[in-house]
Amino acid sequence: MTLPQKNLLAEEASPYLRQHAQNPVHWRAWSQAALDEARALNRPILLSVGYAACHWCHVMAHESFENDEIAGVMNRFFVNIKVDREERPDIDQIYMASLSAMGEQGGWPLTMFLTPDGKPFWGGTYFPPRSRYGRPGFVQVLEAIDKAWREKRDSLSQSADGLIAHVATRLSATQPRNALDRQALGRLADGIAGMIDWAEGGLKGAPKFPNAPFMTTLWLSWLQTGNTTHRDAVLFSLRKMLAGGIYDHVGGGLCRYSTDAEWTVPHFEKMLYDNAQLLRMANWAYATSLDELFRIRIEETIAWLSREMRTETQAFASSLDAHSDGEEGLFYTWSKDEITETLQTDVTTFAGHYSLSAPAGWEGKPILRQSDEQSEREVADYPAVADLKTRLLAGRASRIRPGRDDKILTDWNGLLITALAECGRSFGRSDWIDLAAKGFAGILATAETGRLPHSVLGDRKLFPALSTDYAAMITAATALFEATNDTGYIDIARTLAEQLERWHADADHTGYFLSASDSSDVPIRIRGDVDEAIPSATGQIIEALVRLATATGDIALHEKALVIAEHALGRAGQQTYGQVGIVNSCALALDPLKLVVVEDPDQQSLVAVANRNPDPRRIDIAVGLGGTAPSLPGDVLPSTDKPGAYLCMAQSCLPPVSEPGELAKLLRPKMT
């Protein structure tokens, strides 16, 4: 059986796939039917993986996939399958690892050639239509692959068998467990600190990415060891990012990455996951430094998320495109005349707080950014600057907006819900906590037969969920419990943990696979150990289980998390810098903190101190005077007849404190 010889993407839920629905290429979505067609025709598969906000994906689509001649070659020689990597990270990770195993640099668009049974034998990323940039032209590649398939099929098939076996061993196999080591985090953080660009922040060189997993390693290491160099690397990098052109100074929110080493010229797509992680980290940074820049950027970014990214379900859309009206960054950039026309006589005030930057090689209008001094002035003069931003935002509203990828991804929403709940606690913003709670409810409402989907767009849902979806939502539920003291969230978290165990646990119950056990179209069930822009699936699972176990006092669950962490650490030793999410979560498993605060609900002075001192290692539980307190380690029940704060580390607790100043001192990180 073969599918119709035409483009079949028009009925897909993914906006990225639908962007290609008018291509002359006979695209299919990834499905069992498409794989069966390749087998029936005995043709190789051309697999193209990208996402809606990807700049070079748009370039290759325009140059090659919209070209009738090139499409004709593709249709004649291949079964062409298009994948949205955000919908199918399980598929993307398999073939990205395959490209890496070939010794090639990864990225998107990912272009892979597969045997009819889905085994990879050659690939690359972006190819120009004709040879340039030192890269072979796409037509040249297509013709060479066809020739090799016809003349050397047996050799290619053998090579593909070996490559897929190697990838399966790397991504799916069990390794001997490693004992958790308290020094591992510090050693890893020392290595990362050696990569820091102390002139511009972030990692040395270009392009520059926020790299939240690396920044988290540095932050956790500071909390564990008191090494202020690790803390300062994070604070410095965040300040540089939030003053640079990678940040949208008019509307709020962080772009995906900067093409240069100074954070000036971004690829202008805005991703939900980047901004979720920014909020969480900026919240930690503000609590530590009391630098008002972090507070301002948190408020601006949440305002943007609420204004532009919320869907009708109250959950959040995935991304905003880099392009509008066919030009990258057009929506976000400003000419001097446009600034003058919008601000009139206040343009001089604006110039004291912002620069219009047009670095060499940038062909668009100038980009807003700040020097260190301008950033400090913005903080000092923020009411006046906020008025200028409001006027610029209103002026920008008349422009053609970038496209929004409206699909709702469960795991990315879970990351954001956690960040919103934590920021809401720290800043006393019940509206932010409400935003998180509504988003959480919106995700839960999409479940069917007790199972979460991975992706939702309108009435289209992509089942089954991935392990990242359950992990992120367990963590989100725990964060909402801390923010609201509503134990219903703990009940939900337990149910989600049961679903994770049922559908994703391996046979030995020592870890989890990314895809569910009833996912029929994955060539390999991988574990999901490797970090991308967000921590790996395994890292997120360990954190989620540790936080739930700490909140509930469930010793068996914590022991289970430790076993999973030890096996994950055994695998992570093969590629440490690509799996820092596992190392980070293992540090949380080793030293979980639990704070139980007993207090008069009408006073809340101790709770307020706890809220103002967020620590990613800690779970906070508030109990009213005379209420029922959770047991502490050792089954000790704290007294609820008078105010007190009980801080527990692993299986021991410090003596209770009753004064806010004492608690603040207790929660403050120790310095070396």
Side-chain angles (χ1 to χ4, degrees):
M1 175 184 174
T2 59
L3 298 172
Q5 294 304 296
K6 64 179 183 179
N7 190 315
L8 301 179
L9 299 184
E11 298 304 315
E12 292 298 317
S14 162
Y16 172 67
L17 297 186
R18 292 206 309 268
Q19 286 174 2
H20 294 79
Q22 301 307 313
N23 294 168
V25 179
H26 294 166
W27 288 120
R28 286 88 172 84
W30 183 275
S31 66
Q32 191 61 55
L35 299 175
D36 290 344
E37 179 184 29
R39 293 189 185 96
L41 295 175
N42 200 21
R43 282 188 192 175
I45 294 167
L46 192 165
L47 176 69
S48 177
V49 184
Y51 58 100
C54 167
H55 169 72
W56 286 102
C57 299
H58 292 309
V59 173
M60 190 167 178
H62 177 67
E63 291 178 339
S64 294
F65 304 150
E66 296 172 8
N67 182 294
D68 288 330
E69 178 187 352
I70 296 175
V73 177
M74 294 171 66
N75 295 336
R76 188 160 63 252
F77 295 151
F78 304 97
V79 171
N80 301 290
I81 299 180
K82 174 63 75 173
V83 167
D84 180 344
R85 68 172 295 262
E86 296 168 358
E87 273 197 338
R88 296 304 304 264
D90 48 349
I91 300 300
D92 174 61
Q93 289 183 34
I94 291 168
Y95 295 110
M96 190 63 74
S98 302
L99 184 65
S100 176
M102 295 174 190
E104 297 291 331
Q105 181 70 37
W108 297 276
L110 175 62
T111 307
M112 296 296 291
F113 296 92
L114 321 177
T115 64
D117 55 357
K119 298 174 182 176
F121 60 85
W122 198 79
T125 53
Y126 163 79
F127 291 99
R130 308 294 173 191
S131 299
R132 65 176 189 267
Y133 311 134
R135 300 181 66 84
F138 195 43
V139 171
Q140 178 184 349
V141 168
L142 297 174
E143 291 173 342
I145 293 294
D146 172 64
K147 185 173 188 292
W149 181 251
R150 286 185 285 104
E151 298 177 359
K152 302 177 181 180
R153 185 173 308 185
D154 290 344
S155 175
L156 289 181
S157 294
Q158 288 179 2
S159 175
D161 288 342
L163 181 59
I164 200 71
H166 169 79
V167 170
T169 299
R170 178 178 162 192
L171 299 185
S172 303
T174 299
Q175 298 289 342
R177 60 200 288 187
N178 274 4
L180 301 188
D181 176 4
R182 280 184 172 78
Q183 280 67 54
L185 183 72
R187 290 194 299 269
L188 178 59
D190 285 340
I192 293 171
M195 306 177 195
I196 292 294
D197 179 348
W198 286 101
E200 298 296 339
L203 303 183
K204 295 172 184 175
K208 279 192 187 297
F209 290 82
N211 206 321
F214 275 31
M215 295 297 110
T216 301
T217 302
L218 292 168
W219 197 260
L220 290 174
S221 176
W222 167 59
L223 292 172
Q224 182 192 75
T225 68
N227 187 328
T228 54
T229 299
H230 296 166
R231 174 202 64 190
D232 293 346
V234 176
L235 296 176
F236 181 69
S237 298
L238 282 174
R239 288 185 180 111
K240 286 292 188 179
M241 275 183 242
L242 295 175
I246 192 174
Y247 183 77
D248 178 4
H249 290 279
V250 172
L254 200 68
C255 295
R256 175 76 279 266
Y257 68 96
S258 170
T259 62
D260 61 285
E262 291 78 35
W263 303 108
T264 299
V265 180
H267 271 316
F268 288 85
E269 62 267 29
K270 288 183 177 179
M271 312 301 295
L272 192 69
Y273 58 75
D274 281 322
N275 287 283
Q277 294 176 111
L278 167 69
L279 289 175
R280 202 175 189 205
M281 200 157 294
N283 185 37
W284 305 340
Y286 178 75
T288 299
S289 66
L290 298 182
D291 185 337
E292 288 292 296
L293 176 67
F294 298 127
R295 177 188 62 78
I296 289 167
R297 296 294 184 256
I298 288 169
E299 290 178 346
E300 291 175 341
T301 299
I302 293 177
W304 161 68
L305 288 162
S306 180
R307 182 180 65 244
E308 297 186 26
M309 300 301 286
R310 260 196 305 178
T311 67
E312 292 180 356
T313 68
Q314 302 301 307
F316 294 82
S318 297
S319 64
L320 293 181
D321 204 337
H323 294 73
S324 56
D325 202 22
E327 184 175 335
E328 185 184 8
L330 184 62
F331 183 73
Y332 300 103
T333 52
W334 298 81
S335 69
K336 185 176 180 180
D337 288 345
E338 287 173 330
I339 294 287
T340 301
E341 181 182 350
T342 303
L343 298 182
Q344 301 295 321
T345 57
D346 289 322
V347 71
T348 303
T349 304
F350 168 84
H353 297 89
Y354 289 96
S355 301
L356 290 173
S357 182
W362 172 244
E363 299 176 355
K365 292 184 292 186
I367 300 161
L368 287 183
R369 66 158 299 143
Q370 295 175 313
S371 65
D372 294 341
E373 294 77 13
Q374 287 173 323
S375 179
E376 291 171 5
R377 282 198 293 271
E378 179 194 1
V379 170
D381 304 335
Y382 190 69
V385 176
D387 177 67
L388 298 181
K389 291 188 180 191
T390 299
R391 290 157 63 186
L392 289 169
L393 186 63
R396 197 171 79 176
S398 62
R399 299 177 179 178
I400 297 174
R401 290 187 172 276
R404 187 175 85 167
D405 187 335
D406 282 336
K407 71 175 179 289
I408 296 166
L409 295 172
T410 296
D411 49 359
W412 294 6
N413 270 266
L415 294 175
L416 180 60
I417 291 160
T418 296
L420 288 171
E422 292 178 350
C423 288
R425 289 181 60 208
S426 295
F427 289 88
R429 292 289 299 265
S430 59
D431 56 329
W432 294 352
I433 296 171
D434 185 56
L435 201 62
K438 288 179 177 176
F440 188 83
I443 295 293
L444 287 188
T446 64
E448 294 181 6
T449 62
R451 299 182 72 178
L452 294 174
H454 173 61
S455 174
V456 177
L457 183 64
D459 60 356
R460 301 289 298 275
K461 302 177 185 180
L462 181 65
F463 287 97
L466 302 171
S467 62
T468 49
D469 298 312
Y470 287 108
M473 288 292 283
I474 291 167
T475 299
T478 308
L480 282 167
F481 162 67
E482 292 182 278
T484 65
N485 210 29
D486 182 348
T487 57
Y489 286 113
I490 292 296
D491 295 337
I492 293 169
R494 285 185 183 277
T495 299
L496 295 172
E498 290 168 1
Q499 292 287 320
L500 173 68
E501 184 70 20
R502 177 179 178 184
W503 296 107
H504 296 271
D506 62 19
D508 298 325
H509 296 277
T510 58
Y512 298 89
F513 291 110
L514 181 59
S515 302
S517 57
D518 58 346
S519 297
S520 60
D521 62 353
V522 288
I524 306 170
R525 285 185 77 201
I526 66 174
R527 293 186 178 275
D529 287 340
V530 179
D531 301 323
E532 295 183 300
I534 60 177
S536 66
T538 302
Q540 290 191 58
I541 289 167
I542 296 168
E543 178 181 0
L545 297 184
V546 168
R547 290 177 67 79
L548 179 58
T550 305
T552 59
D554 188 333
I555 295 175
L557 182 59
H558 189 261
E559 290 296 324
K560 180 181 183 63
L562 288 173
V563 169
I564 293 165
E566 288 174 344
H567 281 274
L569 200 61
R571 300 191 303 272
Q574 311 300 312
Q575 190 187 3
T576 302
Y577 286 111
Q579 300 180 15
V580 301
I582 288 175
V583 179
N584 294 344
S585 62
C586 287
L588 297 177
L590 267 173
D591 292 307
L593 303 179
K594 183 172 186 173
L595 179 68
V596 176
V597 178
V598 178
E599 190 167 49
D600 184 343
D602 294 330
Q603 293 183 345
Q604 293 279 298
S605 56
L606 292 172
V607 170
V609 169
N611 287 344
R612 289 195 300 269
N613 289 273
D615 185 331
R617 303 171 300 170
R618 202 178 75 230
I619 289 290
D620 295 348
I621 302 174
V623 181
L625 288 175
T628 302
S631 62
L632 304 178
D635 288 328
V636 175
L637 284 173
S639 170
T640 62
D641 61 354
K642 59 183 178 180
Y646 301 77
L647 180 62
C648 303
M649 294 162 281
Q651 295 304 308
S652 64
C653 298
L654 298 177
V657 298
S658 57
E659 295 297 325
E662 290 181 84
L663 181 58
K665 183 178 179 181
L666 185 63
L667 299 181
R668 194 173 299 132
K670 307 297 187 293
M671 304 298 172
T672 55

